[in-house]
Amino acid sequence: MSCELYELDRLFSDNQPLIAIEYIEQPVANLTDLKILTQHNILSIAADESCRNLTQIRKITTQKAAHILVLKPMVLGGILTTFTAVNESRNHGIASVLTSSLDGAIAEFYNTNLAIHLVVQGYIDRHCGLGTGDLFIKNLCYR
């Protein structure tokens, strides 16, 4: 067990979180520690930085190394790859959420439409982190 996993594990006494947390994104750096922490089942663990391509996502899903995948469509390579990742996670009983990687307006438009489709179709049942457009000082596609 890595030092950072040990420190995170110490935050919980009697298997109860100190505060109400929906989930923790990528609390440790490697897949082995992520899987150990997920197996504790104290709270939901999300893989974020570990979800950069379908190969990594398949490792996480087949090993049940997270409860949730945080997917960034533009990092994954687009909408079709993201949809494949959502299906992969769903087939293994792992939830998905979509977030952006500080994308511009065009990518944000497609990410939002994909998120709407996935929510309406029942593939995603959590809030998606797509509200990053206001973080830009100037965006040519906004007024």
Side-chain angles (χ1 to χ4, degrees), residues 36-138:
I36 291 169
L37 194 55
T38 298
Q39 290 173 340
H40 279 326
N41 226 8
I42 298 168
L43 51 84
S44 293
I45 303 298
D48 186 353
E49 286 79 13
S50 296
C51 297
R52 297 200 176 276
N53 57 56
L54 288 175
T55 301
Q56 290 176 324
I57 288 168
R58 288 187 177 117
K59 284 181 184 177
I60 294 165
T61 57
T62 57
Q63 293 182 32
K64 303 262 191 223
H67 299 108
I68 302 164
L69 298 183
V70 178
L71 305 173
K72 295 175 175 70
M74 297 307 117
V75 171
L76 286 171
I79 291 174
L80 294 177
T81 306
T82 303
F83 191 74
T84 301
V86 170
N87 275 323
E88 180 79 23
S89 67
R90 187 176 189 202
N91 290 340
H92 287 88
I94 297 173
S96 297
V97 296
L98 299 187
T99 64
S100 74
S101 53
L102 297 176
D103 301 314
I106 295 169
E108 188 178 315
F109 171 80
Y110 284 104
N111 290 345
T112 302
N113 280 284
L114 177 60
I116 291 167
H117 171 77
L118 293 171
V119 169
V120 169
Q121 296 299 317
Y123 287 89
I124 291 179
D125 62 356
R126 297 175 180 267
H127 291 23
C128 295
L130 298 173
T132 58
D134 292 341
L135 298 175
F136 292 107
I137 294 171
K138 186 174 185 178

Side-chain angles (χ1 to χ4, degrees), residues 4 13 52:
E4 64 183 337
S13 59
R52 297 200 176 276

